[in-house]
Amino acid sequence: MKLKYWLWLTQIPYIGVVTANKLMDCMGDPQVVFEADENTLRQTGILNKRQLRNIVENHDMVLAETIINNCRTLGISIMTKADTCYPDRAKYFDDAPIVLYYKGTPERKKRAVGIVGARRCTQETKKQVIKITSQYVSKGYSIISGMAKGVDSYAHTVAINNDGYTVAIVGNGLDICYPSEHDKLMQKIQNKGLLLSEYPPGTIPARYRFPQRNRLISAWSDEIVVIGAGKGSGAFITADYGDKYGHKVLYM
């Protein structure tokens, strides 16, 4: 089963997404990486000594197979960069995850807008979210956000209420609802769109994971709209990634 080799590569210590992508570009397939001898891996020029040692010494598939079994039990699907459901617009960045976990229905053909912003919203901010999200839904855009309190949750809700398609990208495993009070919203998003994470089930929310989540919101979007957020916020991190990826970024 090819999938286990993809998961194996994501679980090697000190092999981050950038290094994993370089290996895939060079060798084409994670199974080829798995089966390569030490000299072949060294000759790629990609790995430092610690990374090389970790790949050579870590050929145990128990963790990869455990993730597959856990996902099957929890109703979580897995996509790799080789799958057609992985959007082209998101897969060519050097920090694109080679594996993603999801619940719901992937839709790769629609244009997408990331709508992010303040956690604490004024009534005026809420009105802006409703207006802007409704406009994008009417144009056929997917609405992408992070299922956080405030602007994120309003954007998802407006998309659902207007029969739109919405994607929630989270910074934890999909067996965990964060924040916990969004459990009903999470189920609605799964039914009407897609729940997405680069983290396997059992991964708890942690502050350092949210900037990584924000980069995915940008990567999966054609445009970014920031509503009511202050500088230094997570929404501005999303916008910064949008600039890095060459996407249109609007501030409201």
Side-chain angles (χ1 to χ4, degrees):
M1 184 179 183
K2 290 277 188 180
L3 180 58
K4 68 181 181 181
Y5 294 103
W6 290 85
L7 293 169
W8 164 79
L9 186 55
T10 67
Q11 301 303 308
I12 300 294
Y14 300 103
I15 302 296
V17 291
V18 173
T19 300
N21 277 301
K22 288 180 179 178
L23 286 170
M24 294 300 297
D25 290 343
C26 178
M27 306 186 77
D29 188 295
Q31 185 173 351
V32 175
V33 179
F34 181 86
E35 294 174 350
D37 59 32
E38 183 173 349
N39 188 52
T40 299
L41 291 168
R42 183 183 294 109
Q43 288 178 351
T44 65
I46 294 169
L47 304 168
N48 61 37
K49 290 182 179 180
R50 178 165 58 180
Q51 291 170 325
L52 178 61
R53 183 176 66 251
N54 285 346
I55 288 180
V56 171
E57 294 179 355
N58 284 277
H59 275 199
D60 192 332
M61 283 292 181
V62 172
L63 182 53
E65 291 170 349
T66 298
I67 292 172
I68 291 171
N69 290 333
N70 287 344
C71 286
R72 186 179 296 118
T73 299
L74 294 165
I76 297 171
S77 300
I78 304 171
M79 72 172 75
T80 74
K81 285 184 71 175
D83 292 327
T84 57
C85 60
Y86 200 122
D88 289 340
R89 65 173 172 268
K91 68 170 57 172
Y92 295 116
F93 302 115
D94 62 0
D95 57 357
I98 65 169
V99 168
L100 288 166
Y101 303 87
Y102 70 95
K103 284 186 172 184
T105 306
E107 170 56 78
R108 66 189 296 270
K109 295 180 180 179
K110 288 178 177 287
R111 289 184 60 78
V113 58
I115 299 180
V116 295
R119 299 292 184 264
R120 296 181 180 179
C121 295
T122 64
Q123 283 300 311
E124 184 59 33
T125 301
K126 186 175 179 180
K127 288 178 182 178
Q128 281 186 309
V129 178
I130 293 171
K131 179 180 178 180
I132 291 167
T133 305
S134 298
Q135 289 174 342
Y136 274 103
V137 170
S138 69
K139 295 176 183 177
Y141 278 69
S142 301
I143 305 300
I144 299 184
S145 200
M147 212 176 77
K149 296 178 181 179
V151 168
D152 290 27
S153 62
Y154 292 140
H156 291 306
T157 300
V158 172
I160 291 167
N161 290 344
N162 285 274
D163 293 322
Y165 179 86
T166 188
V167 179
I169 301 178
V170 300
N172 47 267
L174 292 179
D175 56 327
I176 298 169
C177 181
Y178 182 82
S180 58
E181 59 264 35
H182 284 176
D183 55 337
K184 291 182 180 178
L185 175 60
M186 188 176 185
Q187 186 60 53
K188 289 179 180 179
I189 294 170
Q190 179 180 339
N191 294 341
K192 287 280 191 175
L194 187 69
L195 298 167
L196 191 71
S197 176
E198 65 180 302
Y199 302 109
T203 305
I204 62 173
R207 179 172 294 182
Y208 70 88
R209 293 194 177 104
F210 293 113
Q212 298 305 306
R213 180 273 309 272
N214 294 340
R215 94 183 189 286
L216 285 187
I217 293 174
S218 289
W220 276 60
S221 303
D222 297 292
E223 303 175 24
I224 305 293
V225 179
V226 180
I227 304 174
K231 290 185 177 180
S233 65
F236 267 73
I237 294 174
T238 306
D240 287 343
Y241 275 109
D243 288 332
K244 174 185 174 182
Y245 296 151
H247 295 162
K248 180 180 179 181
V249 180
L250 301 175
Y251 297 89
M252 308 296 292

